[in-house]
Amino acid sequence: MFWCVLSAAILQFGLLYYLPTQQSTVYWTMAAIVLSLFTSSWAVFGPAERLRGSPRLLLFVLFVACLTSLPSRSNLIVKLLGGNPPTWLTQTLFGLVIVGVSFAAWRGGPRTKAVLLLLLAAVFVYRAQYAIRNVSEKEFDVIFFHHEGYRHFLNGVDPYAPPLPLYLDLESARKIYQSERLTQDSILVGYVYPPLTFLLGLPFFALLGDFRFVGVFALLVIAFLLNRVSPDPDGWLLAAIILTNPFGIQVVAFGWVETSVVTLLLFFLLCWRRWPAQSAWVFGLFISSKQTMLVWIPLGLVLLFTRFPRWQDRLVWLGKCAAAGLLPLLVFSLIWTPRTIYDSTVAFIAHAPLRNDSLSLGTLLLHSFPGALWIVPFFGLGALGLILFLAVRKGLALSMGMWAITYATGWTAFLILNRQAFPNYYFLAILLWLIGSALLGAPEPETETPKRPA
């Protein structure tokens, strides 16, 4: 468990250092990603002893490091201290708060920790809504595409149908979008995520005016579930890290949908332990939440074949999975034109130009050898397949904790060798390593056996 948490910490600090406008930071972040990948691979495929024991001290250090990212001179603190307090006063009070919270986290009783976790959740919601209100939808295309899609939908217009207004200057747009899709004042694309992701954010946009609050809700749910699943105090520390994590605030503010994706994955893992036959519905929703989640199907099949010996049970499970995954797509296809959905969610992304800020070795290769475009995706898929094959041979797929950790390792290998990858892609791996650590100590279900006829 220690090495998994260490892998998550290395990857997160590398991503916090990343600035897309400075190429040197891109290379340093890629180095951190590679180091994180080797650390987790060394632990996962080494002796079993490497994954035993509690990483409590490392979790505590990581939690304190996250605490220091809290604003020491926020507007609220300034107002409470009279409007213009000296810097030394705010820094001293901030230090005292850090020491007090850290002591309570390490030595406090259950009630103290419960109250503290509620306070951390309240601070997280305050910071997240502040970040959301101060990051304009026109600063990041993810936010803009979502909000424009919701406006179209609420006005009875196909959210996947082009065009969308061009939210930045034409020269900047040519660096990240295909030139053939750009006009002087618009971009020829609609909403770019699958229908399920669209539906998850719609209530938050309709009620609160901004879909990004779905990310706030998702991270609160993830923190709550990790606290419930993992034995105390590890579970408490994992939840606290989620709530104080500065990268989590960035993910929410930028509108990255990985928060919803990870929530669905965590629900699947928990359902698989308690209600394996019904977990198919959740897995179907998970793989339909984002285009790249389709690469998770192979290990899902491994779980299926090891848990259900009878083909009848396997086919029923696959049928439920397909029904849940395809239903949102079928509904949208019946209401609007399937061609627009394909064009915006598949063709648009497949033809996106290479970007210098991509955190992928595959991008570096393509810049040097543009003719290798057709073969580069197979490097990432090959690395993922190799890791999964080794994991299955070692029997790692039978444990929910090892399932999560193995796929975090394979997912990171897939991304670093992929055509392109960005910080939000790796956020999934960070949370997977933390989820895997939480589940490693949890009891595993027994393999079901076929019932004999009476």
Side-chain angles (χ1 to χ4, degrees):
M1 293 172 67
F2 173 87
W3 298 103
C4 301
V5 175
L6 182 61
S7 298
I10 293 172
L11 181 52
Q12 176 177 309
F13 285 115
L15 293 174
L16 287 171
Y17 185 71
Y18 168 83
L19 288 174
T21 56
Q22 298 182 15
Q23 199 63 32
S24 60
T25 67
V26 175
Y27 297 141
W28 279 111
T29 300
M30 290 175 63
I33 294 169
V34 173
L35 177 60
S36 175
L37 175 60
F38 277 115
T39 301
S40 62
S41 300
W42 182 81
V44 169
F45 296 107
E49 290 76 13
R50 291 178 184 171
L51 289 172
R52 291 176 183 168
S54 168
R56 190 166 307 154
L57 181 58
L58 178 59
L59 286 172
F60 178 74
V61 171
L62 186 57
F63 167 60
V64 175
C66 289
L67 275 181
T68 61
S69 70
L70 297 174
S72 61
R73 196 179 174 87
S74 66
N75 293 334
L76 180 61
I77 294 176
V78 169
K79 290 179 181 178
L80 291 175
L81 295 178
N84 189 27
T87 302
W88 67 266
L89 178 59
T90 57
Q91 295 290 347
T92 301
L93 291 176
F94 180 69
L96 291 174
V97 169
I98 296 295
V99 171
V101 171
S102 301
F103 180 81
W106 188 255
R107 299 296 299 272
R111 291 186 178 180
T112 300
K113 289 184 176 181
V115 171
L116 183 56
L117 200 61
L118 289 175
L119 290 174
L120 292 176
V123 172
F124 165 74
V125 173
Y126 175 80
R127 294 177 68 200
Q129 65 83 27
Y130 181 84
I132 288 172
R133 301 300 185 194
N134 286 273
V135 176
S136 168
E137 66 175 31
K138 293 188 177 181
E139 292 184 50
F140 295 94
D141 58 358
V142 175
I143 310 171
F144 185 73
F145 287 165
H146 271 86
H147 285 179
E148 283 296 307
Y150 292 135
R151 293 184 188 109
H152 287 181
F153 178 84
L154 294 175
N155 289 323
V157 179
D158 182 0
Y160 288 94
L164 293 179
L166 193 58
Y167 66 97
L168 71 173
D169 63 272
L170 196 58
E171 182 179 352
S172 300
R174 287 196 180 100
K175 297 178 181 179
I176 56 178
Y177 304 123
Q178 190 180 8
S179 299
E180 289 79 359
R181 289 185 177 265
L182 296 173
T183 66
Q184 195 64 34
D185 56 359
S186 64
I187 177 171
L188 301 178
V189 71
Y191 183 76
V192 297
Y193 291 98
L196 177 64
T197 303
F198 182 91
L199 294 173
L200 291 175
L202 180 60
F204 293 89
F205 180 83
L207 296 174
L208 302 174
D210 199 306
F211 93 99
R212 287 174 287 178
F213 285 101
V214 69
V216 180
F217 177 75
L219 288 180
L220 287 173
V221 170
I222 292 170
F224 171 78
L225 291 176
L226 289 184
N227 186 38
R228 295 283 296 179
V229 170
S230 186
D232 191 70
D234 290 0
W236 190 94
L237 286 169
L238 285 166
I241 288 170
I242 298 295
L243 296 174
T244 55
N245 195 321
F247 193 59
I249 298 295
Q250 181 178 330
V251 169
V252 168
F254 293 172
W256 290 331
V257 302
E258 274 68 21
T259 52
S260 300
V261 172
V262 174
T263 304
L264 290 171
L265 177 59
L266 182 54
F267 271 120
F268 164 69
L269 292 173
L270 298 180
C271 286
W272 182 259
R273 293 173 58 210
R274 297 285 300 274
W275 310 286
Q278 306 307 321
S279 66
W281 302 106
V282 188
F283 189 72
L285 294 175
F286 163 67
I287 61 175
S288 66
S289 61
K290 195 176 179 182
Q291 294 89 323
T292 48
M293 295 305 107
L294 292 175
V295 302
W296 290 73
I297 292 177
L299 200 50
L301 294 176
V302 170
L303 287 176
L304 175 64
F305 276 68
T306 54
R307 187 72 179 274
F308 297 104
R310 297 190 307 175
W311 272 101
Q312 180 183 355
D313 296 330
R314 295 171 181 173
L315 293 176
V316 170
W317 197 93
L318 289 172
K320 294 176 181 178
C321 176
L326 293 175
L327 181 60
L329 179 61
L330 291 175
V331 171
F332 271 62
S333 298
L334 290 173
I335 299 174
W336 290 295
T337 307
R339 183 184 59 80
T340 61
I341 300 177
Y342 172 82
D343 183 65
S344 293
T345 61
V346 178
F348 172 73
I349 296 174
H351 297 145
L354 297 176
R355 291 172 54 173
N356 292 329
D357 58 342
S358 175
L359 297 170
S360 166
L361 296 174
T363 301
L364 297 179
L365 175 64
L366 286 173
H367 277 298
S368 302
F369 305 98
L373 179 62
W374 67 274
I375 199 174
V376 162
F378 292 100
F379 292 147
L381 290 173
L384 175 62
L386 176 62
I387 288 175
L388 297 187
F389 173 77
L390 295 175
V392 171
R393 289 289 300 272
K394 195 178 178 182
L396 301 182
L398 300 180
S399 159
M400 288 295 92
M402 289 307 305
W403 193 95
I405 291 168
T406 300
Y407 226 102
T409 304
W411 179 249
T412 306
F414 167 73
L415 292 178
I416 196 67
L417 295 173
N418 197 21
R419 180 173 174 268
Q420 65 178 14
F422 300 101
N424 54 307
Y425 295 18
Y426 292 102
F427 183 65
L428 180 68
I430 292 174
L431 289 186
L432 265 179
W433 276 313
L434 297 181
I435 291 171
S437 299
L439 293 177
L440 274 177
E444 293 294 333
E446 296 181 0
T447 303
E448 295 185 357
T449 56
K451 296 181 180 179
R452 295 181 179 179

